[in-house]
Amino acid sequence: DAQQVLAAAAVLGDRVSVDTLALGSGLESKPLVAALDELEWRRWLIAEPRGYSFLARIVREVIARDMLTPGQRHRIVQRVNPADPSA
């Protein structure tokens, strides 16, 4: 679950709300919160008033660019914005 949330956070931008992470990861509330807690504990993500972000921007960029396939990135964006044909 934490990997799904991390992937969604990497693809969806600098600061991502919990609601957007839920859509992007496809997780329900309870496993999402547990994954976010784990990612904060391990210092992958930090909670900010405007959403979650990576502790280091370069980590987000590497995950989004090098650790996810184009198809994975596309599916994450489509889960958040299914009406966007360019996503």
Side-chain angles (χ1 to χ4, degrees):
D1 291 348
Q3 287 178 339
Q4 286 176 254
V5 174
L6 197 64
V11 171
L12 296 172
D14 287 332
R15 286 180 186 81
V16 188
S17 72
V18 173
D19 293 339
T20 303
L21 285 171
L23 290 172
S25 68
L27 294 175
E28 299 290 328
S29 179
K30 197 169 190 175
L32 175 66
V33 169
L36 287 169
D37 288 346
E38 178 180 346
L39 292 168
E40 279 189 272
W41 179 254
R42 295 180 183 269
R43 301 191 44 86
W44 285 96
L45 296 178
I46 55 174
E48 298 180 343
R50 297 185 307 170
Y52 282 86
S53 66
F54 279 83
L55 190 61
R57 174 180 274 164
I58 188 72
V59 173
R60 180 180 68 82
E61 293 169 358
V62 168
I63 291 170
R65 182 188 64 227
D66 298 336
M67 300 184 80
L68 298 170
T69 66
Q72 288 172 311
R73 289 190 296 272
H74 176 76
R75 287 188 298 274
I76 290 168
V77 172
Q78 281 292 293
R79 282 193 294 262
V80 172
N81 191 4
D84 184 359
S86 65

